[in-house]
Amino acid sequence: GGPDNWRTVLTTAFNLDMTGFEEMSIVDARNIMHKVSLKMQDEAVLEKVATLCACIQPNDNLQIEVAQKHHIVQEILVTDVYLGGDPSLV
């Protein structure tokens, strides 16, 4: 079902052991996602994304430029949003 599919996606994407996941209530999951969304909207996080994306050299191939920006956003989400802060979200 849904939760099993989600676990499979996460464990495959991040090369994790499936036995490490504990069940949580819908309310707890919603609260965690709310914390993530608030942290993603933090001014410092948005400023970092804007600053680093502005440093990308223009490229005739739009797909390359978009991929570079996508990589920046992913790195910031992992390091600053999920793993950063005290306490971290994970």
Side-chain angles (χ1 to χ4, degrees):
D4 291 331
N5 290 341
W6 181 240
R7 274 189 216 98
T8 301
V9 168
L10 287 177
T11 56
T12 302
F14 296 103
N15 195 25
L16 300 171
D17 180 12
M18 278 188 87
T19 59
F21 284 93
E22 297 177 18
E23 292 292 323
M24 73 171 53
S25 72
I26 295 295
V27 172
D28 289 340
R30 185 201 64 218
N31 289 339
I32 289 170
M33 289 310 300
H34 179 69
K35 289 178 185 177
V36 168
S37 68
L38 288 176
K39 208 166 179 184
M40 287 172 64
Q41 297 175 56
D42 183 80
E43 187 175 334
V45 171
L46 296 175
E47 186 64 34
K48 188 172 184 178
V49 170
T51 300
L52 292 176
C53 285
C55 293
I56 292 176
Q57 297 297 317
N59 192 310
D60 290 338
N61 186 334
L62 184 60
Q63 288 181 326
I64 291 174
E65 192 172 330
V66 169
Q68 291 171 325
K69 290 177 180 179
H70 184 258
H71 178 74
I72 287 171
V73 171
Q74 283 184 317
E75 285 293 317
I76 292 170
L77 284 176
V78 170
T79 58
D80 295 5
V81 173
Y82 293 109
L83 300 178
D86 187 24
S88 72
L89 296 177
V90 292

